[in-house]
């Protein structure tokens, strides 16, 4: 398919290039000693991702442990209430541990095992990535160190308990503001000390090469399954595909299945309380080009050019940049990025729960809210939404802050 004169037939062969660039975005901007470790991961991945043994083992794990394929569900009552457009959801809420993150954590941990590493390390903010990685580490019998700010440890007690029950070592970080940024710094410092025995597992399609590519590849199972299931259910492709974008992993997984099709693709960012800096985390909408956390992309910067403070009702979307591939797909016009507010998101959270019996994660509710708006604008057709996770983790917070609607 041609889109704005861009050839998608050989897209996955050409993007990223061998240095990890999607156009001008991506790459690797890290200290030399970490670059050595990253090169080792890149080389191992390029070899292993073509090995039938690796692919076969990952397929078996997806089926027998994760419970894949996850279904696609038709949202009949919700669709009828909005008009003629038919809405469908890909049910990543039914993936083991309740979200899409385990898709890449199982891949990363399997890679660690193939590389002969004993340990995986990562940082976590809200704890979702930490729990998924701790799950993967337990499955493979790997040690697992999760770096987490002291403030977040207090706020996210259930996820801290989960990680500990799963056998992970939660390392408390007390420097600075003791939140995600300090946890990232501490985890990178640990990695440069320990990289011979471990690999660092990044939690989205961000960070230095090869992670944006590798995490996309591990998540592409979502788009591959969804495309096939949708075709089988309806005999055709959806007219539009919608996913929420924080770092962008669930979205890239879904989008990668449809880039070469005549399907409109929408990435939804959090507008939070509004467009003023500090009130949202819509980096692709309001950001500018810059380097952070080891990669070049579009980011929200403060007046000193440092990553700006961001806000969203969804802690998983609360990130001042997005993966380099999203920046690229935006620039070439293949994917449209737009925003929904906290208010619209909470409405969608209750609407999906009430009309379909599915309590969505607040992150995923952004995609649902956008699809509901889109359905009202379109006269006919179908929309496939990636429901990245379940909302059990968000129930107490929603009721405390918004009450029952
Ligand atoms: C972490 C998370 C996200 C955001 O991460 P992406 O890398 O942007 O996909 C979205 N939905 C859920 C349920 C999450 O846990």
């Amino acid at each position: 398919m041609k889109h704005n004169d861009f050839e998608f037939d050989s897209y996955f062969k050409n993007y990223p290039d061998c240095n990890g660039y999607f156009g001008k975005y991506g790459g690797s901007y890290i200290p030399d000693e970490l670059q050595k470790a990253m090169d080792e991961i890149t080389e191992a991945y390029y070899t292993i991702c073509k090995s039938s043994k690796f692919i076969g083992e990952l397929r078996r794990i997806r089926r027998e442990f994760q419970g894949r394929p996850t279904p696609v569900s038709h949202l009949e009552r919700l669709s009828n209430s909005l008009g003629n457009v038919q809405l469908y959801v890909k049910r990543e809420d039914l993936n083991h541990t309740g979200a899409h993150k385990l898709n890449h954590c199982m891949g990363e941990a399997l890679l660690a095992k193939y590389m002969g590493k004993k340990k995986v390390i990562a940082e976590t903010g809200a704890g979702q990535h930490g729990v998924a990685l701790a799950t993967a580490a337990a499955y493979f019998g790997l040690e697992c160190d999760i770096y987490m700010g002291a403030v977040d440890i207090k706020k996210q007690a259930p996820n801290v308990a989960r990680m500990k029950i799963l056998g992970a070592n939660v390392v408390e970080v007390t420097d600075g503001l003791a939140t995600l940024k300090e946890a990232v710094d501490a985890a990178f410092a640990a990695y440069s000390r320990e990289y011979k025995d471990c690999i660092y597992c990044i939690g989205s399609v961000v960070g230095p090469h090869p992670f944006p590519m590798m995490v996309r590849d591990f998540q592409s199972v979502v788009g591959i399954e969804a495309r096939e299931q949708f075709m089988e259910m309806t005999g055709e492709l959806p007219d539009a595909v919608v996913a929420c974008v924080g770092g962008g992993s669930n979205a890239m997984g879904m989008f990668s299945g449809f880039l070469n099709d005549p399907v409109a693709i929408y990435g939804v960012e959090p507008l939070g309380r509004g467009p003023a800096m500090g009130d949202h985390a819509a980096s692709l909408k309001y950001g500018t080009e810059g380097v952070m956390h080891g990669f070049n992309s579009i980011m929200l910067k403060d007046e000193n050019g440092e990553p700006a403070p961001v806000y969203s009702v969804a802690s998983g979307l609360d990130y001042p940049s997005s993966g380099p591939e999203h920046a690229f797909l935006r620039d070439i016009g293949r994917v449209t990025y737009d925003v929904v507010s906290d208010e619209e998101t909470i409405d969608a959270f209750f609407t999906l729960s009430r009309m379909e019996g599915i309590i969505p994660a607040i992150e995923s509710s952004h995609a649902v809210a956008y699809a509901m708006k889109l359905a009202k604008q379109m006269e006919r057709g179908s929309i496939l939404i990636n429901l990245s996770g379940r909302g059990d983790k968000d129930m107490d917070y929603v009721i405390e802050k918004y009450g029952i609607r």
Side-chain angles (χ1 to χ4, degrees):
M1 177 203 176
K2 279 202 154 190
H3 200 96
N4 291 351
D5 291 327
F6 190 85
E7 229 16 281
F8 275 94
D9 297 342
S10 47
Y11 178 80
F12 293 108
K13 271 207 162 48
N14 296 329
Y15 295 93
D17 70 13
C18 58
N19 295 314
Y21 283 93
F22 303 86
K24 62 184 171 176
Y25 303 114
S28 182
Y29 300 80
I30 51 177
D32 285 348
E33 72 272 16
L34 277 179
Q35 190 57 53
K36 266 194 299 188
M38 234 17 105
D39 289 345
E40 193 195 328
I41 295 177
T42 305
E43 196 157 320
Y45 179 68
Y46 274 129
T47 309
I48 268 167
C49 73
K50 304 290 177 211
S51 140
S52 64
K53 197 164 162 240
F54 182 83
I55 294 166
E57 190 165 356
L58 198 54
R59 283 200 179 142
R60 186 190 60 73
I61 289 166
R62 300 237 190 267
R63 192 172 61 241
E64 295 174 11
F65 179 66
Q66 291 182 230
R68 304 202 69 91
T70 58
V72 167
S73 304
H74 180 200
L75 306 179
E76 200 172 335
R77 282 189 1 97
L78 179 60
S79 305
N80 289 344
S81 79
L82 296 169
N84 294 324
V85 173
Q86 298 304 309
L87 300 178
Y88 294 79
V89 278
K90 174 64 170 165
R91 303 289 305 277
E92 290 307 290
D93 60 316
L94 297 178
N95 196 34
H96 180 44
T97 71
H100 69 288
K101 285 196 175 72
L102 195 66
N103 298 334
H104 59 250
C105 286
M106 292 308 285
E108 289 170 335
L110 182 61
L111 178 67
K113 199 184 104 175
Y114 270 67
M115 290 173 74
K117 305 291 188 185
K118 293 189 193 64
K119 190 197 274 188
V120 287
I121 63 178
E123 83 290 337
T124 196
Q128 297 300 109
H129 177 52
V131 169
L133 191 62
T135 303
Y139 180 90
F140 289 111
L142 296 163
E143 291 170 46
C144 179
D145 288 352
I146 302 293
Y147 290 79
M148 195 168 180
V151 170
D152 290 330
I153 288 181
K154 275 218 185 67
K155 274 209 254 184
Q156 309 290 343
N159 277 342
V160 174
R162 278 186 195 103
M163 288 185 266
K164 289 184 174 166
I165 289 170
L166 289 161
N169 178 25
V170 179
V171 184
E172 180 170 11
V173 180
T174 54
D175 311 328
L177 296 175
T179 59
L180 183 61
K181 183 188 172 299
E182 292 76 22
V184 173
D185 293 342
F188 265 106
Y191 186 45
S192 38
R193 287 192 306 269
E194 302 181 48
Y195 75 86
K196 288 209 165 56
D197 293 323
C198 69
I199 73 169
Y200 190 100
C201 294
I202 291 176
S204 187
V205 286
V206 298
H209 182 58
F211 280 92
M213 169 186 72
M214 194 163 81
V215 171
R216 171 197 74 192
D217 292 354
F218 289 144
Q219 286 296 345
S220 68
V221 66
V222 174
I224 293 168
E225 284 177 10
R227 187 179 188 282
E228 203 177 298
Q229 291 165 317
F230 194 92
M231 292 285 286
E232 196 180 304
M233 289 168 82
T234 69
E236 54 193 17
L237 288 165
D239 293 292
V241 163
V242 179
C244 66
V245 179
S249 63
N250 87 85
M252 259 339 294
M254 185 59 132
F255 297 173
S256 63
F258 296 93
L259 287 176
N260 199 24
D261 291 320
V263 171
I265 304 181
Y266 298 92
V268 186
E269 297 193 297
L271 182 61
R273 295 180 289 245
M277 189 64 99
D279 280 347
H280 63 83
S283 46
L284 293 161
K285 175 117 179 154
Y286 297 112
T288 49
E289 189 178 345
V291 172
M292 66 176 272
H293 297 163
F295 65 105
N296 185 44
S297 188
I298 300 294
M299 59 192 266
L300 294 165
K301 296 181 223 171
D302 65 15
E303 59 279 6
N304 302 318
E306 293 297 312
V310 285
Y311 161 81
S312 164
V313 65
S315 54
L317 302 181
D318 194 346
Y319 186 64
S321 182
S322 291
E325 193 165 10
H326 287 292
F328 177 66
L329 291 170
R330 181 197 74 167
D331 282 8
I332 62 170
R334 179 62 188 99
V335 177
T336 303
Y337 294 88
D338 207 342
V339 294
V340 298
S341 67
D342 281 3
E343 267 307 309
E344 294 169 307
T345 299
I346 296 301
D347 266 350
F349 173 89
F350 279 107
T351 303
L352 192 71
S353 302
R354 298 277 161 91
M355 300 206 82
E356 298 291 345
I358 301 169
I359 302 177
I362 304 186
E363 290 81 4
S364 324
S365 303
H366 283 75
V368 176
Y370 192 77
M372 286 166 60
K373 287 207 283 192
L374 198 59
K376 288 184 198 156
Q377 289 159 21
M378 287 161 58
E379 254 169 45
R380 62 181 81 83
S382 58
I383 305 173
L384 174 62
I385 306 160
N386 195 18
L387 201 79
S388 53
R390 67 176 180 224
D392 302 47
K393 67 182 177 57
D394 301 315
M395 293 187 303
D396 292 348
Y397 173 79
V398 168
I399 288 183
E400 194 186 309
K401 183 148 182 222
Y402 295 91
I404 290 282
R405 291 202 170 169

